[in-house]
Amino acid sequence: GTGSSILSALQDLFRLSKSKVEKQLQIISVLQWVLTFLVMGIACTLILIYTLCTDFWVIAALYLAWLVFDWNTPRRGGRRSPWVRNWAIWRYFRDYFPIRLVKTHNLLTTRNYIFGYHPHGIMGLGAFCNFSTEATGVSQKFPGIRPYLATLAGNFRMPILRDYLMSGGICPVNRDSIDYILSKNGSGNAIIIVVGGAAESLNCTPGKNSVTLKNRKGFVKLALRHGADLVPVYSFGENEVYKQVIFEEGSWGRWVQKKFQKHIGFAPCIFHGRGFFSSNTWGLLPYSKPITTVVGEPITIPKIDNPSQKEVDFYHSMYVDSLIKLFDKYKSKFGLPETQVLEV
């Protein structure tokens, strides 16, 4: 009767309130990562400098001493924290979009791997969620495999930020770091390299599936030198979460972006997502569009200490073909028309 109706109404209200709370937690979890990506390094550096000028200068001095002692840790595999990788905040991060990780083949723990991640997008959100956290179950899907997401080495010169990144299993994308992981860290390691890098981010826009890969062969040479298998990875939806102003080749805007890319390592993009309070306003939050990351079949790579250009070109061609086949096989399953072509 009346009692049952009241109880039912209260249950509906509770479910509605819980849903709203979860949505806000998802938004907060994504916002903290966006701010980390954009300003945490600079902010922590300024705070450290300011602290040196206050009565708490001892704290800053102790941290700087630790920084000198710990300076080479990022180049030696870092310092991952299973506790940080399993934070509940990453599950809210995952559910905001949502983000999914799709496994297509098993990976042997007796081998090492280089994952080529495509496309870069604005912030590589799928790469971070899938491989630097346990939100999508990477350790369960690939048991015995330790993923290392490689990013700009300059990030590891920033106080506090460097420690935060290392806790997720993120490492510098430079030769010293990759050589160490693939030669002195045993087997079962997987280094995820966003191959297109900053150059690719300049062209990412919703509805476009294009990768900067034709002249990117350094990762193939690294794989050959260490005998690490190459694994193509494509993230459907990575380009959909932000809208960007694309500058044409030869324009002043593209000239500025390329100068930044050449001298600093990243390219400033003019982009926007949605606002914090409404999806109908502009802001820094990405749009909540699905991102599905598909890990393809590994390509067996021989160990060649000094590979020739011909050998590098051969395995690079194999990799490109494998990536295109992966894209074509799964594109219709994840919302793209059969006529969609991956631009390489």
Side-chain angles (χ1 to χ4, degrees):
T2 304
S4 297
S5 298
I6 293 173
L7 180 61
S8 178
L10 287 173
Q11 288 174 336
D12 290 342
L13 181 62
F14 175 76
R15 281 194 290 268
L16 182 62
S17 299
K18 184 179 179 181
S19 176
K20 286 184 175 179
V21 169
E22 287 186 347
K23 188 61 181 177
Q24 291 303 312
L25 288 173
Q26 291 169 10
I27 289 173
I28 291 169
S29 69
V30 174
L31 181 62
Q32 69 83 25
W33 171 247
V34 171
L35 293 177
T36 296
F37 183 89
L38 295 176
V39 302
M40 184 178 177
I42 295 173
C44 288
T45 301
L46 293 176
I47 291 171
L48 188 67
I49 293 171
Y50 172 76
T51 306
L52 283 169
C53 302
T54 68
D55 293 338
F56 300 99
W57 66 270
V58 174
I59 297 175
L62 288 173
Y63 179 79
L64 287 172
W66 161 253
L67 195 61
V68 172
F69 174 78
D70 195 55
W71 189 253
N72 288 323
T73 298
R75 291 186 293 179
R76 295 172 181 167
R79 186 171 48 247
R80 72 176 57 220
S81 167
W83 176 64
V84 173
R85 287 175 60 89
N86 282 282
W87 277 353
I89 195 172
W90 305 132
R91 295 192 289 276
Y92 289 113
F93 183 101
R94 171 199 66 197
D95 294 339
Y96 172 84
F97 297 92
I99 295 174
R100 291 176 54 210
L101 179 65
V102 177
K103 169 185 174 179
T104 63
H105 291 79
N106 291 324
L107 298 181
L108 299 175
T109 57
T110 55
R111 300 285 293 174
N112 283 323
Y113 302 90
I114 293 179
F115 287 18
Y117 184 92
H118 313 270
H120 184 285
I122 295 293
M123 297 185 185
L125 294 164
F128 168 75
C129 184
N130 285 308
F131 302 112
S132 294
T133 80
E134 293 296 331
T136 56
V138 63
S139 292
Q140 286 72 44
K141 288 183 170 70
F142 300 103
I145 301 297
R146 292 180 298 277
Y148 294 85
L149 177 60
T151 188
L152 289 176
N155 289 325
F156 296 89
R157 301 187 187 102
M158 302 285 190
I160 310 301
L161 175 62
R162 66 189 293 278
D163 302 288
Y164 190 37
L165 294 178
M166 283 194 292
S167 67
I170 301 178
C171 68
V173 62
N174 58 31
R175 181 168 172 175
D176 287 346
S177 176
I178 294 173
D179 282 347
Y180 184 92
I181 292 171
L182 294 180
S183 64
K184 298 180 181 178
N185 205 40
S187 60
N189 301 291
I191 298 179
I192 298 88
I193 300 177
V194 186
V195 178
E200 191 172 88
S201 69
L202 298 178
N203 297 313
C204 68
T205 188
K208 186 173 184 179
N209 288 280
S210 173
V211 297
T212 302
L213 180 58
K214 190 173 294 184
N215 296 315
R216 297 292 176 106
K217 300 180 181 181
F219 73 107
V220 177
K221 190 172 184 178
L222 278 170
L224 285 165
R225 289 180 62 246
H226 293 284
D229 293 349
L230 288 171
V231 182
V233 179
Y234 198 85
S235 245
F236 295 90
E238 184 73 64
N239 284 346
E240 307 299 316
V241 296
Y242 279 111
K243 295 178 181 178
Q244 179 183 189
V245 177
I246 304 293
F247 293 101
E248 297 295 329
E249 290 291 340
S251 66
W252 67 269
R254 183 53 66 98
W255 180 84
V256 170
Q257 289 176 322
K258 286 188 173 181
K259 286 295 181 182
F260 265 83
Q261 178 191 335
K262 180 179 179 180
H263 297 292
I264 301 178
F266 74 92
C269 302
I270 299 177
F271 65 93
H272 74 84
R274 52 155 291 183
F276 183 82
F277 297 104
S278 171
S279 60
N280 297 320
T281 58
W282 287 12
L284 288 176
L285 279 172
Y287 294 105
S288 52
K289 304 287 186 179
I291 298 175
T292 305
T293 303
V294 184
V295 180
E297 182 178 4
I299 302 168
T300 302
I301 301 295
K303 188 177 186 304
I304 305 174
D305 290 334
N306 293 296
S308 66
Q309 189 59 50
K310 184 177 180 181
E311 289 167 328
V312 172
D313 291 343
F314 174 76
Y315 286 101
H316 180 267
S317 177
M318 284 183 61
Y319 178 86
V320 172
D321 290 343
S322 183
L323 178 65
I324 293 172
K325 288 177 183 177
L326 180 71
F327 177 85
D328 288 340
K329 181 176 181 179
Y330 289 94
K331 60 185 178 183
S332 59
K333 186 175 181 180
F334 300 119
L336 297 179
E338 282 290 346
T339 54
Q340 181 72 57
V341 176
L342 178 64
E343 299 176 27
V344 178

